């Protein structure tokens, strides 16, 4: 799992790179100057307890 927070300095978008290597988005919120995110490998997306959907 990859979790983080960052500041927007350019249009460099790493989301597509992570999706292309087998991650799924758990959370991605982008504001005017910052963003926070959480990604998890597809293999674990349905098994991780906090991600279980009702």
């Amino acid at each position: 799992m990859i979790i983080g927070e960052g500041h927007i300095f350019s249009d460099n978008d790493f989301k597509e790179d992570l999706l292309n290597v087998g991650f799924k988005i758990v959370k991605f919120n982008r504001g005017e100057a910052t963003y926070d995110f959480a990604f998890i490998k597809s293999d674990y997306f349905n098994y991780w307890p906090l991600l279980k959907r009702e």
Side-chain angles (χ1 to χ4, degrees):
M1 180 168 221
I2 300 172
I3 301 171
E5 179 180 290
H7 297 271
I8 301 169
F9 293 110
S10 71
D11 290 331
N12 186 5
D13 187 4
F14 62 89
K15 271 192 314 189
E16 290 301 317
D17 294 332
L18 289 174
L19 294 173
N20 289 335
V21 295
F23 281 87
K24 286 192 172 192
I25 296 173
V26 175
K27 178 181 181 181
F28 195 93
N29 293 326
R30 183 177 174 144
E32 283 187 37
T34 62
Y35 58 92
D36 56 303
F37 57 88
F39 292 84
I40 193 166
K41 281 297 259 187
S42 298
D43 297 344
Y44 302 106
F45 188 77
N46 292 321
Y47 298 106
W48 203 49
L50 295 177
L51 300 178
K52 292 197 186 231
R53 309 292 194 259
E54 303 264 341

